Amino acid sequence: MRAVSDRRGAAALTRLRVPLGFACAGIAFWLAHPRPLSVAAGMSVAAIGELVRLWAAGHIEKGREITRSGPYRLVRHPLYAGSAIMGIGFMIAARSLPAAIVVGVYLVVALVSAARAEEATLDARFAGEYSAYREGRAAPSDRPFSLARVKANREYRAVIGLVVGCVLLFLRSL
């Protein structure tokens, strides 16, 4: 019974992670005390996170298969790993402990719950194939990176968000 309740809670939080992310970003931005150098350093880190996300988006066929190529050979959730790196970049750029706490708590709660909900869904949808992947028993795939998949996965939205966040933090630093 508790497992079902935990899954429902994770699924509900997963559905709310984008609006909660915007709310937390607004609070973190308000708490930020950026300087031009902190913005440059932080956005350099965040750009690495976005590159990880782009790499992952160029390999994943969301909801159609268990992706095992590209960064999925190295880590189960490279999109979330990239988001976490982007969040760390924001923390550096913001130059504020309270802003970093808001971002850090959001990332841990949202990404962990999203990963749990996603893993349960994939395991159910693909009859244990995800468990084999998670346990390292699935053979890797050699599918090449595709810009068409990046576009189909709408990763341009994260790029736009990164650019907007960078510009806003830089303007705030002046």
Side-chain angles (χ1 to χ4, degrees), residues 55-61 65 67 69-72 143-146 149:
W55 184 27
H59 283 273
I60 192 170
E61 293 282 345
E65 65 178 17
T67 302
S69 64
Y72 291 89
R143 176 183 26 233
F145 175 86
S146 165
R149 270 192 294 277

Side-chain angles (χ1 to χ4, degrees), residues 21-31:
F22 280 113
C24 288
I27 292 166
F29 181 76
W30 180 67
L31 295 169

